[in-house]
Amino acid sequence: MITSLMARCGANPPARALFRTIISPSLESGVDFYWVALAVLKNIVEDIEGADGRLEYVLSLRCRLVEVLQQMDSILSPANRSVGRDHRLVLALTEGISFLDLSGAQLASALRFAEPNLSYADCRDCLLSFCNEVLGVIPGPIPDAQGPLAQRQVLRAMRDWSKAAEAIGSDLSFLEARFGDL
Amino acid sequence: MIFKDQIAAYAAAAPNNAIRNTEMFFQNYAIDRLQFEEFALRPFDEDSTTFYVSTVPRGFAGSKSDLDLILVANADDADNGISNMLFFNERRVGNKVIRRSDIAKSFELVAAALETPPDDRLAAIAEVNRTLPIKWADLERVVNGVSFAAGAPYAPYLGLVSRWTVHSSLVNYRQQLIFASLAALAGSPLATYGYMQNCLAGAMDAVMAACGQVLTNTKWTLPRWKLFRECATGNVVRQGIELVEALAQTFEMHRITTAPEPAEASTALSFYFDRLLCKFESKGEKRFVLTSKTQSHRFLPAATLLSQRGRNAVTDSKALEAILSVPCTAVESLDHVQAQLALDLLARDFIVLSGWRVVT
């Protein structure tokens, strides 16, 4: 992590260490966080991998990635202060992503927002490295919602989450709509 | 409000383009089409017509793209919206069932909303957005889709889908422009840049939709625009492209440094939209308004506590009053602290800007 993109752009302490200090405010938030990671973040990674030389596409995905990180960040924030989709990109670039310990400027730098004429290869490589690091700092396995074993993995995760929710009286009914979207 | 000749030409070519794009996809990735279609239909026994939708018929599918299908079921009691995910040759296949009657009903609702008198049209569109029997994205996908064997029967609805998209894209363009103006007033070039990206996406979608080219998934807006600006014909359309490109260039140069005032920089483009596509204006004295579930605190003289769905914000009541008293089309009278506060409240849905009226 020391030589990672995040460290190079000034994130300190390393994100993994910081992530360990974050406690999800509720089971719902934790499940929601992992759901966005498995259903959206991983999907973006796959889209980047399959961009096939299209610069405009990876530039669009860069904005989408930032929006999703902001969404995950607001899920983990103590007051669950969700923001409208129109504002996610801006909030991330100005206020940063706290679960990654990145300020807005550091995030913009890590994803090379300030660099004009970025090539496709540079943009793609930068995004993939960044995404892999983000996935790496999230503790525990993130179920795979994209591959051939996706349904089994997602169902297993949902069963585990349901058991935990039942044990502590949490309500995970919001997952029903998310599952439909998936 | 749309370029009818452009839409007619695009709609006439769309079915053949979709058929060709689909054939090319199967050829390029060496997938046996007949084998695939047999495989894809196996789990379903409904009386239905199956469509290739999304990136494959549109020609954007790449090495890792999903093969998305919509099964249009003839039976009124078919299980609507059920979907499954399969894999064929290691490629993901998304299958979704939609009732034919729901598609027809959706077209009726969309057409009726677009025929609503200008004053009430945006409200009617918002209402229909909430009540469509199927998702808007699925309606767009089936219109731009091509069936396994019977061409593109919904292509004639491209004009309707385009008009709808012009409306929604221009509302998005106007709103993002206001957010960008607030960000510029607040002295944040990065925020201005971010909102202008959304604003430009709305402008691109509006120009493309006016020519019949609609795709709901916004991750494709930039790649589509690249192709569109290279191939578009007609002086009026080219003029629109040049105005959007000029605006994009202006803000591309100002990601970190102080950017120009967004509304001023986009005057020419806004005038173009007003004159040729759809003119909006502020409805009466409509201003930023507190959202319906948000209440200002009654007991704190110097601060206002805003609470919505358990989320709180404590803010200076005088600053809030200033924000709520300014017409949302004239935000330049706010100072930088008020502008930043307005953005914070907008982002968290404590206040909204609304009250647009369609003029033409």
Side-chain angles (χ1 to χ4, degrees):
Chain A
M1 288 299 293
I2 298 301
T3 57
S4 71
L5 266 176
M6 290 179 200
R8 282 207 305 274
C9 72
N12 187 31
R16 181 189 294 275
L18 188 92
F19 192 93
R20 287 199 186 114
T21 69
I22 296 177
I23 298 170
S24 171
S26 66
L27 177 68
E28 288 93 329
S29 305
V31 167
D32 202 11
F33 179 87
Y34 275 84
W35 186 266
V36 176
L38 75 88
V40 190
L41 184 57
K42 280 193 164 185
N43 194 248
I44 291 174
V45 175
E46 197 181 83
D47 283 345
I48 297 166
E49 287 169 342
D52 296 339
R54 292 173 288 200
L55 173 63
E56 290 72 18
Y57 187 49
V58 287
L59 290 174
S60 293
L61 293 171
R62 179 172 65 173
C63 291
R64 182 82 185 105
L65 168 66
V66 173
E67 289 173 350
V68 169
L69 292 175
Q70 201 287 326
Q71 183 184 0
M72 293 167 73
D73 207 33
S74 50
I75 290 170
L76 278 190
S77 71
N80 195 0
R81 302 200 327 162
S82 62
V83 300
R85 186 170 174 182
D86 284 347
H87 304 274
R88 284 180 189 157
L89 173 66
V90 167
L91 253 74
L93 289 177
T94 52
E95 295 182 5
I97 303 294
S98 56
F99 84 88
L100 296 172
D101 190 29
L102 286 176
S103 69
Q106 288 167 337
L107 179 70
S109 166
L111 295 176
R112 304 175 74 168
F113 268 92
E115 294 177 40
N117 307 319
L118 201 58
S119 72
Y120 164 75
D122 284 348
C123 190
R124 177 186 183 275
D125 292 349
C126 158
L127 289 182
L128 280 179
S129 305
F130 186 86
C131 286
N132 286 331
E133 286 202 35
V134 171
L135 290 169
V137 300
I138 298 173
I142 303 172
D144 177 17
Q146 316 297 333
L149 299 176
Q151 292 183 23
R152 191 184 304 169
Q153 287 203 28
V154 171
L155 288 173
R156 187 181 297 151
M158 291 183 85
R159 187 194 59 199
D160 293 344
W161 293 334
S162 296
K163 276 185 186 171
E166 204 177 311
I168 62 170
S170 277
D171 179 14
L172 295 182
S173 56
F174 69 92
L175 271 184
E176 193 178 330
R178 301 284 176 89
F179 195 61
D181 286 343
L182 183 67
Chain B
M1 65 158 291
I2 47 175
F3 304 132
K4 285 183 180 164
D5 53 336
Q6 295 275 343
I7 291 188
Y10 183 80
N16 283 337
N17 286 340
I19 290 167
R20 194 190 60 238
N21 289 334
T22 306
E23 280 170 3
M24 290 293 291
F25 170 81
F26 281 100
Q27 274 178 31
N28 288 345
Y29 294 103
I31 302 170
D32 185 322
R33 181 169 174 170
L34 285 178
Q35 207 180 12
F36 166 73
E37 292 184 355
E38 195 185 307
F39 165 83
L41 292 177
R42 208 175 294 154
F44 299 96
D45 53 9
E46 280 97 349
D47 173 20
S48 62
T49 307
T50 308
F51 288 75
Y52 291 106
V53 296
S54 192
T55 54
V56 170
R58 299 301 293 272
F60 297 121
S63 55
K64 294 208 165 196
S65 298
D66 296 0
L67 257 160
D68 288 322
L69 304 175
I70 286 183
L71 278 78
V72 177
N74 291 323
D76 285 349
D77 59 351
D79 279 341
N80 213 16
I82 63 161
S83 57
N84 68 10
M85 192 168 77
L86 308 166
F87 281 82
F88 185 83
N89 286 7
E90 297 181 354
R91 194 176 284 265
R92 205 163 42 235
V93 180
N95 251 330
K96 189 167 191 178
V97 178
I98 292 175
R99 289 184 208 125
R100 186 179 303 279
S101 55
D102 282 344
I103 295 175
K105 179 73 181 163
S106 298
F107 284 134
E108 280 174 24
L109 289 169
V110 168
L114 287 172
E115 292 310 314
T116 307
D119 254 9
D120 303 318
R121 192 176 303 156
L122 290 179
I125 287 174
E127 176 60 22
V128 168
N129 260 331
R130 282 190 291 272
T131 56
L132 270 185
I134 61 173
K135 287 183 178 174
W136 169 258
D138 289 333
L139 197 63
E140 174 269 301
R141 290 163 92 201
V142 85
V143 166
N144 281 305
V146 61
S147 80
F148 278 8
Y154 291 110
Y157 290 96
L158 259 175
L160 193 66
V161 170
S162 298
R163 282 179 67 200
W164 184 274
T165 306
V166 168
H167 267 100
S168 55
S169 302
L170 286 180
V171 168
N172 185 36
Y173 165 81
R174 298 281 178 195
Q175 290 189 339
Q176 298 295 334
L177 206 50
I178 291 171
F179 299 154
S181 291
L182 287 168
L185 273 173
S188 174
L190 257 182
T192 312
Y193 169 79
Y195 284 123
M196 282 310 293
Q197 296 310 296
N198 297 340
C199 174
L200 284 161
M204 291 170 186
D205 273 333
V207 177
M208 289 190 285
C211 298
Q213 301 193 29
V214 176
L215 206 161
T216 308
N217 193 334
T218 52
K219 72 183 179 187
W220 291 105
T221 299
L222 275 181
R224 287 196 303 125
W225 178 255
K226 180 176 184 262
L227 293 174
F228 179 77
R229 76 180 177 215
E230 285 165 4
C231 304
T233 57
N235 289 339
V236 178
V237 179
R238 300 272 356 145
Q239 191 192 354
I241 292 171
E242 282 163 21
L243 288 168
V244 174
E245 286 291 303
L247 189 60
Q249 278 296 318
T250 303
F251 283 91
E252 195 62 20
M253 291 184 296
H254 292 280
R255 276 183 263 212
I256 306 296
T257 58
T258 306
E261 205 292 302
E264 208 173 299
S266 59
T267 303
L269 181 59
S270 297
F271 181 68
Y272 172 89
F273 286 147
D274 280 355
R275 191 166 52 93
L276 292 169
L277 293 185
C278 186
K279 186 172 183 180
F280 295 102
E281 66 179 22
S282 223
K283 198 174 182 177
E285 288 300 306
K286 199 76 176 183
R287 304 163 200 281
F288 292 103
V289 289
L290 289 174
T291 48
S292 59
K293 290 178 186 171
T294 303
Q295 290 183 328
S296 56
H297 202 289
R298 287 171 292 173
F299 308 115
L300 294 171
T304 297
L305 174 71
L306 303 174
S307 174
Q308 185 176 46
R309 292 192 293 272
R311 293 177 294 123
N312 298 312
V314 178
T315 187
D316 181 295
S317 61
K318 281 188 181 167
L320 183 63
E321 268 172 36
I323 293 164
L324 296 179
S325 66
V326 68
C328 54
T329 48
V331 294
E332 61 277 5
S333 61
L334 297 176
D335 65 30
H336 74 279
V337 175
Q338 292 164 345
Q340 184 57 57
L341 177 61
L343 274 177
D344 290 343
L345 296 174
L346 281 163
R348 272 133 193 141
D349 204 27
F350 286 113
I351 61 172
V352 290
L353 51 90
S354 61
W356 297 111
R357 186 176 80 95
V358 178
V359 179
T360 53

